[in-house]
Amino acid sequence: MFAGDQNGLQGDPRLKAISEAIRVVPHFPKPGIMFQDITTLLLDHKAFKDTVDIFVDRYRDMGISVVAGVEARGFMFGPSIALAIGAKFVPLRKPRKLPGEVISEAYVLEYGTDCLEMHVGAVQPGERALVIDDLVATGGTLSAAIRLLERVGAQVVECACVVGLREVKGQHGLNGKPLYILVEPRQQINGSAPSVNGIGVVNGIETCRHDDLILGGNFSSPVNTTPKSD
Amino acid sequence: MQRALIFSSSNPIYSQLSTTIAPPDSAVFPKRDGGWIGPFSSNQPPVFRLRNYKRTLLPPLCSASDSVANQPTMASQDEQDPRISKISSAIRVIPNFPKPGIMFQDITTLLLDTKAFRDTIDLFVERYRGKDISVVAGIEARGFIFGPPIALAIGAKFVPMRKPNKLPGEVISEEYSLEYGTDKMEMHVGAVQAGERALVIDDLIATGGTLCAAIRLLERVGVHVVECACVIELPELKGRDRLGDKPLFVLVSST
């Protein structure tokens, strides 16, 4: 669901400012991809703070004890949310980054697979968890994150992303878990976002998590991937 | 051995950043061969050790039984912030990672301790708030965990310093040495402006190679790097020396 659909956040000017603070870099990491660059959001203190505040307001009273952030851009948002809601922060990392004992979850790319890891013992059975990343494309990485947490008996309450399309396409579908997104990807390089309030679907846009499947907009495109990096 | 640094909350932050603190004449510090050395020359309060910890690579700076003798006597420098010991003990040491002989300082256990993580951020924020710092640069990837909460709390922007080919758009690069070979660090063009005051944040300083690369990137675009801040320092690797005239602030020192 989109933040702008929610009671109280419809027409919230913070969402417009957040959307406009995100830079679109065309043809990165490869031709045809309109990369949604959140680093410019991090340069705008007010917009960055508002981003965190909107998530915190939503999750503060949900009894969440774990915020799991996906490497590496999930690390930029997750800890601030965790600190504000009194939850622990658990990094979900690429293979061989975490020292000590880990569990791994593989997920499918166009060619081959990649892996997400979590520390054994970081999360206890019965804990309520939030998964956070900067952007959701097809949901492959988020689905792997959900599986990791569920394997150790945690309950994933929701996945939260700053940017994402209204419909998560692709075969993953987040295992039925709810997805909360602040803004849609922008097609324009400059100027205002066409669908901050969530009306309509951005046509012809391809957005990329940079390591996951490319998500098509209103057209069907072959599933395509870039080498795993973030 | 994990040692907690003495963090004196009575010491004004501004003076810590801009002047050299002379420890009292009565303060003495151990050195490797068992003798004593004079006061520190850097802007860093003295340290004392906390608990036993076996290090496989280098001999200990001093034995645990010296701990009482290490404590400085001057009041303004021997108050240890009570938060430090919990932070220190929340850090897990993993032997032989990523390779034999390395005792890896794992901060992920600190992130699981909500109070200790909160305190870690608070200690940095208390030091840097109100000091006209407009940029917090965090080094990939663990610098991304500590940097943004600090940036948000002090009203600064957060700038990620990344491995090659991760940042989209135009970047500047700085090469730095590894034990074998080199690596590169990148920063976005236009992220920072000349004249801005910056902090560089990472979880740990070892040799100081990555921090130096980050400093060079920022200085190349005319930014003034006020200080480097890390949760942990490995003092035997002499990263502090490698930073030269750039001050370093750490919470925990580990030998």
Side-chain angles (χ1 to χ4, degrees):
Chain A
M1 81 197 66
F2 274 80
D5 298 344
Q6 297 270 291
N7 292 338
L9 286 178
Q10 282 150 339
D12 190 315
R14 294 179 299 173
L15 292 175
K16 181 169 187 290
I18 289 165
S19 179
E20 289 173 355
I22 296 169
R23 174 173 72 157
V24 180
V25 180
H27 310 304
F28 183 89
K30 57 183 209 178
I33 306 295
M34 302 296 276
F35 189 88
Q36 308 292 309
D37 179 17
I38 51 89
T39 65
T40 44
L41 172 63
L42 309 177
L43 300 179
D44 180 336
H45 178 262
K46 182 175 188 317
F48 183 21
K49 186 168 188 311
D50 288 342
T51 302
V52 171
D53 286 349
I54 291 170
F55 286 128
V56 168
D57 287 343
R58 178 174 179 79
Y59 297 115
R60 188 198 313 275
D61 298 321
M62 285 196 185
I64 288 167
S65 59
V66 176
V67 174
V70 180
E71 170 166 16
R73 286 184 291 268
F75 292 4
M76 299 178 195
F77 297 95
S80 300
I81 298 168
L83 286 164
I85 69 174
K88 49 195 186 187
F89 179 72
V90 175
L92 303 181
R93 299 209 67 174
K94 303 292 166 65
R96 295 172 298 281
K97 302 292 186 67
L98 291 170
E101 206 186 346
V102 298
I103 57 169
S104 292
E105 186 69 33
Y107 60 104
V108 177
L109 302 172
E110 184 185 14
Y111 298 109
T113 62
D114 206 332
C115 221
L116 209 56
E117 294 185 341
M118 181 174 76
H119 265 140
V120 168
V123 177
Q124 309 307 316
E127 293 207 74
R128 287 165 58 79
L130 174 66
V131 181
I132 185 107
D133 205 354
D134 67 321
L135 181 146
V136 54
T138 59
T141 334
L142 286 180
S143 295
I146 293 167
R147 288 195 298 274
L148 273 174
L149 290 159
E150 291 185 334
R151 275 167 60 187
V152 297
Q155 180 200 356
V156 176
V157 173
E158 194 157 89
C159 296
C161 298
V162 180
V163 191
L165 278 178
R166 184 161 281 283
E167 287 173 37
V168 175
K169 297 212 168 34
Q171 63 269 38
H172 301 286
L174 291 195
N175 308 345
K177 292 296 174 191
L179 174 63
Y180 185 74
I181 300 168
L182 295 193
V183 300
E184 282 195 280
R186 287 192 293 129
Q187 190 172 11
Q188 283 86 335
I189 297 161
N190 303 309
S192 60
S195 60
V196 164
N197 57 2
I199 295 172
V201 177
V202 179
N203 291 333
I205 190 170
E206 291 204 54
T207 185
C208 180
R209 195 191 170 274
H210 196 199
D211 58 359
D212 204 9
L213 303 178
I214 291 172
L215 183 56
N218 250 358
F219 60 93
S220 59
S221 58
V223 161
N224 201 355
T225 59
T226 60
K228 180 96 176 150
S229 66
D230 63 331
Chain B
M1 180 172 306
Q2 298 279 53
R3 295 178 300 173
L5 287 179
I6 293 174
F7 181 90
S8 171
S9 52
S10 66
N11 230 341
I13 292 166
Y14 187 77
S15 69
Q16 286 178 335
L17 289 179
S18 62
T19 63
T20 302
I21 295 172
D25 292 344
S26 55
V28 290
F29 309 99
K31 65 178 180 180
R32 185 185 297 264
D33 65 0
W36 303 97
I37 58 175
F40 281 23
S41 58
S42 59
N43 301 349
Q44 186 69 53
V47 307
F48 67 90
R49 22 190 69 248
L50 261 198
R51 56 193 77 245
N52 290 323
Y53 169 85
K54 230 174 164 52
R55 182 170 176 84
T56 54
L57 274 185
L58 295 166
L61 206 54
C62 67
S63 67
S65 63
D66 290 341
S67 58
V68 170
N70 290 356
Q71 292 186 30
T73 56
M74 190 164 99
S76 70
Q77 285 192 330
D78 70 0
E79 298 165 27
Q80 186 195 5
D81 190 291
R83 295 171 284 185
I84 293 273
S85 68
K86 291 280 172 54
I87 290 167
S88 181
S89 55
I91 296 165
R92 173 171 74 156
V93 179
I94 304 280
N96 303 312
F97 183 89
K99 56 183 197 180
I102 306 288
M103 303 297 278
F104 189 89
Q105 305 288 319
D106 181 16
I107 50 90
T108 65
T109 44
L110 172 62
L111 310 177
L112 300 179
D113 181 335
T114 51
K115 181 169 192 319
F117 184 23
R118 171 88 260 155
D119 288 344
T120 302
I121 299 300
D122 285 350
L123 282 163
F124 289 123
V125 169
E126 288 163 17
R127 182 175 179 84
Y128 298 118
R129 173 182 278 143
K131 299 298 170 281
D132 198 28
I133 289 164
S134 58
V135 177
V136 173
I139 297 178
E140 171 162 16
R142 289 183 289 266
F144 294 176
I145 295 174
F146 297 97
I150 296 167
L152 286 170
I154 69 173
K157 52 194 181 185
F158 178 72
V159 176
M161 314 293 266
R162 298 211 67 173
K163 297 282 163 66
N165 309 312
K166 302 291 184 72
L167 291 171
E170 205 185 348
V171 297
I172 58 171
S173 291
E174 185 72 31
E175 205 168 87
Y176 61 102
S177 302
L178 301 170
E179 187 183 13
Y180 299 109
T182 62
D183 204 342
K184 263 205 289 193
M185 181 181 296
E186 294 185 341
M187 179 176 77
H188 265 139
V189 167
V192 293
Q193 313 304 319
E196 294 204 76
R197 286 163 54 81
L199 287 185
V200 183
I201 302 274
D202 207 353
D203 65 321
L204 180 145
I205 175 171
T207 62
T210 14
L211 282 174
C212 281
I215 292 167
R216 285 195 299 273
L217 273 173
L218 291 161
E219 290 186 333
R220 273 167 60 186
V221 294
V223 166
H224 172 51
V225 177
V226 172
E227 193 158 89
C228 293
C230 301
V231 180
I232 304 161
E233 175 185 16
L234 303 181
E236 282 120 357
L237 298 181
K238 304 205 184 306
R240 188 179 291 272
D241 295 342
R242 191 156 169 189
L243 296 186
D245 64 349
K246 284 301 169 203
L248 171 69
F249 176 73
V250 305
L251 303 184
V252 173
S253 190
S254 180
T255 52

